[in-house]
Amino acid sequence: TNVRYGAAGVSNSVIDLAASSLVPGRTYYYTVLNAYSLSDPAFVSEILGPVISFTIQDREALEAPVLTSPDPGTTLSEGQAVTLAWDPVPGGLSYEVIVFERLTSGATNTDRQIFATNTSSSSILLPAREVLRRGSYRWFVIANDREGAASVSETGRFDYETAMGRFR
């Protein structure tokens, strides 16, 4: 009847999502799913519990990280190093970097998380060959301090171009 944020349910580990830090001042939503199998996600119920919202109280928050590279709207090509960089935040102990692929279906855009890492540096080298394909990507950084305060950057975006095979 309960689960710690960021941990898979004790009775069922089918739903296993990477959990990002909760950022003060942002509103979050959750619901409860019924899973009827311990190993097959096809047996997650279509019926959801009520959607519950909560907001983390904002206390002395850190400055928000400022994204510096790549420039918004940049198109990166296969073979180029994909470095994601931001200005260091005074008092920031670590940074969570989260990358989403932008999926478009008709008039609907959906962002699917494809990569997340934690670092004490103010840049990372994204393993593009492993996680990127031709498309558009969104990313942001969450700065964390020693006392658990956090702040989030604006959302950056870039496109990635790579050769793709064709089906016949």
Side-chain angles (χ1 to χ4, degrees):
T1 60
N2 66 71
V3 64
R4 182 181 173 98
Y5 174 75
V10 174
S11 63
N12 193 327
S13 59
V14 170
I15 309 299
D16 187 18
L17 304 173
S20 301
S21 297
L22 298 176
V23 177
R26 286 217 168 160
T27 300
Y28 295 90
Y29 303 87
Y30 73 92
T31 189
V32 177
L33 302 173
N34 291 322
Y36 301 107
S37 168
L38 294 176
S39 59
D40 190 346
F43 290 102
V44 172
S45 174
E46 294 177 5
I47 300 172
L48 305 176
V51 176
I52 309 296
S53 69
F54 64 94
T55 303
I56 302 296
Q57 292 300 312
D58 197 359
R59 50 173 226 215
E60 273 190 51
L62 295 169
E63 291 178 27
V66 176
L67 306 181
T68 59
S69 179
D71 289 330
T74 298
T75 298
L76 303 169
S77 300
E78 179 179 17
Q80 273 184 282
V82 177
T83 300
L84 304 179
W86 55 95
D87 289 334
V89 172
L93 180 66
S94 67
Y95 303 94
E96 231 174 305
V97 183
I98 303 158
V99 180
F100 297 87
E101 180 179 16
R102 170 65 48 108
L103 303 172
T104 303
S105 177
T108 305
N109 291 323
T110 305
D111 290 335
R112 179 178 62 95
Q113 183 177 327
I114 60 161
F115 181 81
T117 191
N118 199 303
T119 183
S120 58
S121 177
S122 61
S123 69
I124 64 160
L125 184 60
L126 189 66
R129 190 175 189 134
E130 297 171 24
V131 299
L132 301 181
R133 58 184 178 170
R134 181 185 301 155
S136 295
Y137 295 88
R138 306 294 185 266
W139 68 288
F140 62 87
V141 174
I142 300 172
N144 299 288
D145 75 2
R146 195 174 310 281
E147 285 76 42
S151 63
V152 65
S153 71
E154 296 293 324
T155 301
R157 66 180 191 82
F158 64 91
D159 294 326
Y160 189 73
E161 189 62 41
T162 185
M164 301 285 285
R166 294 183 188 174
F167 288 106
R168 287 191 216 168

